[in-house]
Amino acid sequence: MLPAVTIEDVARLGLPPARATLEPGTGNVVLNVPVNVFADTGPVVRETELLGFPVTIRATPVSFTWSFGDGAVLGPTADPGAPWPAMTTTHTYTTPGTYEVALTTTWTATASVAGLPPEPVPGTVDVATAAGTLTARAGTTVLTR
């Protein structure tokens, strides 16, 4: 009998944290001006062995949740965001301060045991990324070329 792969097995193999980008990338943002955030990640394949059988696990990021350090949360959303000028995932700070931004990526997985067709693995795995620190200040912005 072939072994069943669990979501705990997938978590033990380790999934990479998404690379989180904050724009502007200076660490300083202006109050009441949107900050662009986006995640860079894609499917991951892991090869392992379970009870003597070869197993191929394919994990796919399915949602992203941003925590902006000021109590605001964006997500979960299937949209990883995009670099400027797309700005599909943003947050606007309204109070001066220094904030820790974090990203949680939620993954699903399939597993192929002994070369058989892949089967969904029930459940999800969350992987946290410390995205960075932003300092929000009052000021004015100037668009330059």
Side-chain angles (χ1 to χ4, degrees):
M1 185 163 151
L2 296 176
V5 177
T6 67
I7 202 66
E8 291 79 16
D9 295 326
V10 174
R12 273 192 294 279
L13 284 174
L15 297 172
R19 189 180 75 201
T21 300
L22 310 175
E23 291 179 333
T26 62
N28 294 301
V29 299
V30 178
L31 293 177
N32 302 311
V33 175
V35 175
N36 189 40
V37 296
F38 60 96
D40 184 12
T41 190
V44 173
V45 176
R46 297 279 193 255
E47 303 285 337
T48 191
E49 193 174 281
L50 186 60
L51 300 176
F53 293 94
V55 177
T56 301
I57 294 174
R58 181 179 177 86
T60 304
V62 293
S63 70
F64 306 89
T65 303
W66 294 90
S67 174
F68 294 100
D70 62 351
V73 174
L74 172 64
T77 175
D79 183 1
W84 185 89
M87 296 183 62
T88 59
T89 49
T90 65
H91 175 65
T92 302
Y93 289 95
T94 58
T95 304
T98 298
Y99 303 99
E100 295 295 324
V101 181
L103 167 65
T104 300
T105 305
T106 301
W107 299 76
T108 60
T110 61
S112 172
V113 179
L116 294 173
E119 295 285 332
V121 177
T124 59
V125 175
D126 287 340
V127 177
T129 302
T133 302
L134 293 176
T135 300
R137 296 184 168 101
T140 57
T141 60
V142 177
L143 184 60
T144 61
R145 190 169 198 208

